[in-house]
Amino acid sequence: MPKSRIRKKKDDFTPPPAKTTNLKMNSGRGWVAPLMLAMFLIGLVWIVMFYVSEGDLPIGAMGNWNIVCGFGFIAVGFGVSTQWK
């Protein structure tokens, strides 16, 4: 019976290098978090000033619409927060 040929290995298998993923914590939008926090704080301060001054501050002529304006700043803060990644 003929002897079978022995196959020579061309090269040992080397696995491909492990893929590294670079996770960037900053999405390139460094303005989002400061603006969001600023809008929240401006809205909060606006409402607190209105209640503490009993309606004289920040704009006395607006009356109770100062509350709507304060919540408007807070709503803008939430709108900006959708851009945060």
Side-chain angles (χ1 to χ4, degrees):
M1 176 158 247
K3 189 175 178 183
S4 64
R5 291 185 183 173
I6 299 174
R7 296 182 189 173
K8 292 183 180 179
K9 292 183 181 180
K10 292 182 180 178
D11 288 330
D12 289 334
F13 174 74
T14 56
K19 294 181 180 179
T20 58
T21 57
N22 295 332
L23 296 176
K24 291 173 60 176
M25 295 305 289
N26 188 0
S27 64
R29 297 181 182 183
W31 56 270
V32 174
L35 181 63
M36 175 184 65
L37 292 175
M39 291 293 113
F40 288 153
L41 289 175
I42 290 170
L44 179 67
V45 168
W46 193 289
I47 294 170
V48 168
M49 281 177 48
F50 175 72
Y51 279 114
V52 169
S53 69
E54 297 176 357
D56 293 335
L57 291 176
I59 301 173
M62 285 179 58
N64 288 336
W65 284 98
N66 279 307
I67 298 171
V68 175
C69 188
F71 278 113
F73 278 113
I74 294 171
V76 169
F78 278 114
V80 170
S81 71
T82 62
Q83 298 298 314
W84 193 14
K85 292 184 181 182

